[in-house]
Amino acid sequence: DTLGGAPLHRVVVTPGPSVQFGCVGIPRARPLFSPGLNWAASGPRILVNPQPDYALWLYEGARAVASVRRPLTPRAPTGEDVRELYPDGLVLGFGGARADCRVSQQELIDKQGLAPVMPFVDDVQLFSDGTMWVRRSLRLSKSPVLDVFGSDGAYAGTVRGMQLPVGRQPQGELLVPREDPESGGTVLLRMRVKR
């Protein structure tokens, strides 16, 4: 910390005990869906979401300039959320030193446990025009849900079925990743979203 300032946000989660799966141990494992910090930066602005709440904080440097909240009803995470997050179980690779380790969804739930509240926001994106994008669905969801807010913090709408944009072109086109079934990889699409 070369600036010597106070943190913008902090999420404190008490780490749990060490967990031993069949092929690997995890020291101080936190329950699945434990809260964390989502953030994105663009120029001097920083967008922060301290999970599990649906609260967006927009900063210019260390000064909070806006806060956006949505009053959604909290819920506890379920086994279905774990299956969506890890459709093939948790796969840990060791770079050829030894075989990959695969931990089943049920073993994750049984040994690591679940946080008491499911976070509302999975990731955020902030663009140079000030628009804020919020992914409410899990990263690997088959039907992604994105909320869009204007530079003034006003809700602009919800977009379904596309991944969180990773960039914005000067002419306003968004760069959106999409799985490419033909190659098995990812392609980057240029898209324009209209209201």
Side-chain angles (χ1 to χ4, degrees):
D1 182 3
T2 58
L3 299 178
L8 296 179
H9 273 279
R10 178 178 289 145
V11 172
V12 178
V13 178
T14 305
S18 295
V19 174
Q20 183 62 48
F21 296 112
C23 53
V24 69
I26 299 177
R28 301 171 51 122
R30 300 181 330 157
L32 295 167
F33 306 109
S34 290
L37 282 175
N38 293 310
W39 64 276
S42 180
R45 292 187 153 197
I46 304 166
L47 179 62
V48 180
N49 162 245
Q51 293 178 336
D53 297 332
Y54 197 121
L56 307 175
W57 290 89
L58 185 62
Y59 290 90
E60 283 186 5
R63 184 174 63 93
V65 295
S67 176
V68 176
R69 298 171 184 274
R70 291 199 63 196
L72 301 174
T73 304
R75 70 172 180 86
T78 66
E80 186 57 38
D81 295 315
V82 177
R83 285 185 280 283
E84 190 173 330
L85 184 63
Y86 299 111
D88 300 318
L90 174 63
V91 180
L92 302 169
F94 300 104
R98 65 181 210 202
D100 289 349
C101 171
R102 185 178 303 270
V103 181
S104 74
Q105 299 150 346
Q106 193 58 51
E107 189 178 7
L108 283 167
I109 294 168
D110 293 344
K111 293 187 177 177
Q112 199 165 343
L114 300 174
V117 177
M118 183 75 174
F120 287 112
V121 175
D122 186 67
D123 203 357
V124 296
Q125 184 60 276
L126 174 67
F127 293 113
S128 58
D129 66 348
T131 55
M132 299 172 274
W133 289 69
V134 178
R135 181 173 50 226
R136 274 195 285 142
S137 53
L138 294 172
R139 186 174 310 273
L140 297 177
S141 174
K142 290 182 173 54
S143 47
V145 178
L146 307 174
D147 291 337
V148 184
F149 297 89
S151 58
D152 58 356
Y155 173 70
T158 297
V159 179
R160 297 180 186 277
M162 85 180 215
Q163 293 299 325
L164 191 66
V166 295
R168 183 179 179 278
Q169 298 290 289
Q171 69 276 22
E173 290 179 331
L174 297 171
L175 302 176
V176 180
R178 181 174 288 167
E179 288 183 23
D180 180 27
E182 188 176 308
S183 69
T186 302
V187 295
L188 197 58
L189 304 175
R190 291 185 345 206
M191 298 177 75
R192 186 175 297 277
V193 178
K194 294 182 180 179
R195 287 178 142 185

